[in-house]
Amino acid sequence: MLRIVFSSEDIARTRVAPAADEVWELVLSLHLLQGRSRDPVMAGWRREVAGGIRRESTPGRLRLLLALNPPRGYFPDFLTPYASRYGIEAGLDAVRSTPVSSLERDLTVLASENPLPMPGSAVALARGDVSVLRHLTDSMRTYREMAITPYWQRIQAAVEADRSRRARALLDDGTEGLLASLRPMARWNSGVLEVPDYPVDREVHLGGRGMLLVPSFFCARIPVTLVDPELPPVLVYPVDRLGGLTPAPGEGAGPAGMAGIGRENGRAALAALLGRTRATVLEAVGDGCSTGEVARRLHISPAAASQHTTVLRNAGLLVSHRDRNTVLHTLTPLGRAMLNA
């Protein structure tokens, strides 16, 4: 079990990452790619990415990156620097700038816990070899283009849906409500956040630094934290994957045939497709709202609001999360695309 001990100062300094973290998604997806999970939701993604790696003749180029990220157990803290919250470029710059002492420590731990032999380049990496560090971040870019970039809109949409859910918990019940909303993957209990299924017994004292909560598409069912207690505290936790992962259409005006359509014409077209009330419900749900709020905003009964959201959910346009007596609705990638069009 993982136990994270919060002081009142830690509670005040706890926050949620502002967006999906591309470096964390990249690293955690490597574990999923190499693991034995039978998760049908991700089966298509795994086949596509594995096939892409074979077609592009990149296994050799990715050998070090794959070795640093075994499917289970420890992986080096330096691969997911705190700077990654500012974007992929900031994260890769931080990886290249990792102090030699951190490289040596992390790789020593990895070698002691991983039964598979490490490639020879890992020795040079532990010495801080600049060319090997650059090769590592280049391989992260290569892998990102195959495994993350084609799916990034879907990943962002799932993370944004989760952020809406956490924002609601924060608005309703403060930071302690935010932490309590992480159940069942974690339990908030009198100043301690407990992760029951964590693979090792560990207790973390935040020491007034607070904690950054990072919602992640590729995180498995158990939240992840860094091993080094001196690093800024981070807890990465899994989000609802909203039904799977398929390549998103190219960015632009939206679905084919919608390019150039005006905002008012777009609203009229959406109303013609869904009906005026359901189109308005879809727009109301854009930033996340409960069934009761839909009813109040549209001046309809709660029963009617529930019926409309059920139809939209069954059509794959929104997803609903129940939290005690409240159901919070957020858009799926398809619902967002239709609304944006």
Side-chain angles (χ1 to χ4, degrees), residues 167-204:
R168 177 53 53 96
L170 180 65
L171 285 171
D172 288 349
D173 299 304
T175 305
E176 294 193 70
L178 166 64
L179 294 167
S181 76
L182 295 173
R183 62 182 184 278
M185 65 185 109
R187 300 188 302 243
W188 175 248
N189 184 16
S190 301
V192 178
L193 188 66
E194 300 174 340
V195 180
D197 295 330
Y198 202 72
V200 297
D201 287 331
R202 186 178 171 205
E203 184 165 292
V204 176

Side-chain angles (χ1 to χ4, degrees), residues 83-241:
S84 68
R85 70 195 189 281
Y86 298 121
I88 185 73
E89 295 303 327
L92 296 182
D93 284 345
V95 171
R96 284 191 295 270
S97 303
T98 304
V100 174
S101 58
S102 298
L103 292 169
E104 184 176 11
R105 180 199 60 227
D106 287 3
L107 292 171
T108 298
V109 174
L110 179 63
S112 68
E113 296 196 6
N114 186 3
L116 298 177
M118 298 293 292
S121 54
V123 177
L125 180 63
R127 295 197 304 264
D129 188 300
V130 174
S131 63
V132 178
L133 277 165
R134 184 161 294 279
H135 166 77
L136 175 60
T137 54
D138 286 347
S139 66
M140 292 172 76
R141 289 183 189 279
T142 298
Y143 174 77
R144 169 193 176 219
E145 291 304 311
M146 290 183 288
I148 303 297
T149 300
Y151 310 93
W152 188 236
Q153 289 183 26
R154 307 296 193 208
I155 294 166
Q156 286 181 305
V159 168
E160 279 305 310
D162 185 87
R163 277 175 44 80
S164 294
R165 182 183 179 187
R166 306 307 164 193
R168 177 53 53 96
L170 180 65
L171 285 171
D172 288 349
D173 299 304
T175 305
E176 294 193 70
L178 166 64
L179 294 167
S181 76
L182 295 173
R183 62 182 184 278
M185 65 185 109
R187 300 188 302 243
W188 175 248
N189 184 16
S190 301
V192 178
L193 188 66
E194 300 174 340
V195 180
D197 295 330
Y198 202 72
V200 297
D201 287 331
R202 186 178 171 205
E203 184 165 292
V204 176
H205 291 261
L206 300 179
R209 295 172 295 172
M211 173 166 276
L212 180 67
L213 301 173
V214 181
S216 169
F217 188 95
F218 283 103
C219 185
R221 64 183 185 86
I222 302 173
V224 177
T225 191
L226 300 172
V227 172
D228 185 353
E230 299 303 316
L231 292 173
V234 171
L235 186 71
V236 184
Y237 65 89
V239 303
D240 190 327
R241 290 172 176 158

